């Protein structure tokens, strides 16, 4: 009788990997190649919203690259990233909506071979969590609201994180 409700089960919806270079040109393209090498997907490029002369960027210039990964591939990449962080995150890495993220300073720690032409890039990992029934709020027809009990809280996300990566001694520090 103590079966777990399948509608309360939390899953990873997607993983967003972002490399923000802060300048346009060849470095952004090389950062995109690093992401493509890691995920086997074509990366997208973010553009500057406005000109900042002190940073040397102009409006609509490509300054960052990102890729969205879903499914088992996302879980594998998250495991590699967490291994770099030694499976330790801080409470402030978790948002109030239950999503979480972290950053690494060198992409070569993920097991990618160092290429002197590309250089070394840091990257951000951002994981979006969901529960079954989440589509109700996102669909076009007969859109509804997701109840408060069905939303993921910060504490639930932390508990899920520690339980899921339990075999790797996952910890959430203060």
């Amino acid at each position: 009788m103590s079966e777990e409700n399948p509608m309360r089960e939390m899953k990873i919806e997607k993983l967003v990997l972002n490399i923000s270079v802060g300048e346009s040109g060849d470095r952004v393209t090389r950062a995109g190649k690093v992401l493509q090498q890691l995920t086997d997907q074509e990366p997208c490029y973010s553009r500057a919203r406005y000109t900042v002369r002190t940073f040397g960027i102009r409006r609509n210039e490509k300054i960052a690259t990102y890729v969205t990964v879903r499914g088992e591939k996302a879980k594998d990449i998250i495991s590699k990233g967490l291994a770099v962080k030694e499976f330790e995150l801080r409470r402030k890495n978790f948002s109030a909506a239950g999503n979480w993220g972290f950053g690494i300073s060198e992409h070569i720690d993920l097991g990618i071979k160092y290429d002197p032409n590309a250089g070394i890039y840091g990257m951000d990992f951002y994981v979006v969590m969901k529960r079954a029934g989440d589509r109700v709020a996102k669909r076009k027809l007969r859109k509804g609201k997701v109840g408060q009990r069905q939303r993921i809280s910060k504490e639930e996300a932390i508990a899920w994180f520690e339980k899921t990566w339990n075999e790797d001694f996952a910890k959430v520090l203060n």
Side-chain angles (χ1 to χ4, degrees):
M1 195 77 175
S2 64
E3 291 179 31
E4 191 68 28
N5 184 351
M7 293 295 282
R8 301 281 298 157
E9 184 182 317
M10 286 192 277
K11 302 175 197 136
I12 295 171
E13 182 178 352
K14 63 184 174 182
L15 162 69
V16 181
L17 292 169
N18 177 43
I19 297 178
S20 185
V21 179
E23 61 186 62
S24 66
D26 201 32
R27 286 199 63 206
V28 178
T29 311
R30 289 188 299 221
K33 286 188 176 132
V34 167
L35 281 180
Q36 190 169 17
Q37 190 178 359
L38 180 64
T39 62
D40 299 325
Q41 291 181 9
E42 189 69 31
C44 298
Y45 294 95
S46 299
R47 296 176 177 272
R49 290 188 198 151
Y50 41 82
T51 302
V52 180
R53 294 186 83 182
T54 53
F55 296 146
I57 58 170
R58 290 193 291 281
R59 189 171 188 267
N60 287 332
E61 218 172 33
K62 291 180 182 178
I63 57 168
T65 180
Y66 65 94
V67 66
T68 302
V69 186
R70 297 173 194 268
E72 281 301 312
K73 192 190 293 186
K75 218 169 187 176
D76 295 339
I77 295 171
I78 293 168
S79 292
K80 287 181 188 175
L82 285 172
V84 173
K85 298 293 274 186
E86 296 176 357
F87 295 93
E88 291 183 351
L89 293 180
R90 303 181 84 69
R91 284 187 67 81
K92 66 181 183 182
N93 288 76
F94 292 82
S95 75
N99 304 325
W100 49 280
F102 59 94
I104 60 170
S105 55
E106 295 181 354
H107 75 273
I108 55 173
D109 293 338
L110 296 171
I112 299 174
K113 189 170 176 287
Y114 174 66
D115 180 16
N117 296 330
I120 295 177
Y121 295 98
M123 64 175 63
D124 302 321
F125 288 68
Y126 197 72
V127 181
V128 179
M129 302 296 294
K130 75 169 190 171
R131 277 202 170 113
D134 196 38
R135 183 177 171 271
V136 169
K138 295 181 179 178
R139 65 188 178 195
K140 192 167 176 80
L141 294 175
R142 295 191 308 262
K143 202 173 271 200
K145 291 184 180 174
V146 175
Q148 193 62 43
R149 276 197 71 228
Q150 195 67 358
R151 294 188 189 144
I152 299 173
S153 70
K154 183 175 189 170
E155 279 67 36
E156 287 175 323
I158 290 171
W160 177 89
F161 172 77
E162 288 177 335
K163 189 182 102 189
T164 304
W165 275 283
N166 188 9
E167 68 276 357
D168 300 315
F169 310 108
K171 286 187 281 208
V172 176
L173 308 171
N174 285 335

